[in-house]
């Protein structure tokens, strides 16, 4: 795995917020309350796994109810 591929496994706070269409302060709130998203902390640096972000988005998926399809 190249270094650029390895770096893309994690997003910073602002990148993660943008990725899931939330404000960065929302991630701060969730992190303080330890709800919604797991995170990694390296000193002061907070990182979010892209796989965790994808799982979060997938958990919010709503299937439509099919009706009147011929």
């Amino acid at each position: 795995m190249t270094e650029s591929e390895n770096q893309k496994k994690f997003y910073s706070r602002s990148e993660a917020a943008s990725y899931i269409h939330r404000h960065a302060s929302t991630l701060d709130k969730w992190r303080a309350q330890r709800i919604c998203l797991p995170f990694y902390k390296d000193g002061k640096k907070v990182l979010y796994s892209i796989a965790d972000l994808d799982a979060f988005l997938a958990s919010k998926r709503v299937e439509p109810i099919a009706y009147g399809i011929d």
Side-chain angles (χ1 to χ4, degrees), residues 27 30-32 34 37-41 46-49 52:
L27 295 185
W30 289 350
R31 192 173 61 253
R34 294 184 180 219
L37 286 171
F39 61 92
Y40 297 87
K41 192 152 182 176
V46 175
L47 299 172
Y48 292 90
S49 163
D52 289 338

Side-chain angles (χ1 to χ4, degrees), residues 13-67:
R13 170 184 161 266
S14 60
E15 291 170 327
S18 178
Y19 188 77
I20 63 168
H21 308 288
R22 299 292 193 282
H23 196 275
S25 64
T26 300
L27 295 185
D28 294 340
K29 179 181 171 184
W30 289 350
R31 192 173 61 253
Q33 296 174 353
R34 294 184 180 219
I35 61 172
C36 292
L37 286 171
F39 61 92
Y40 297 87
K41 192 152 182 176
D42 182 18
K44 291 183 178 184
K45 192 173 187 177
V46 175
L47 299 172
Y48 292 90
S49 163
I50 294 174
D52 289 338
L53 297 172
D54 287 338
F56 170 77
L57 290 174
S59 74
K60 302 301 181 193
R61 182 178 172 163
V62 176
E63 291 289 333
I65 299 172
Y67 62 93

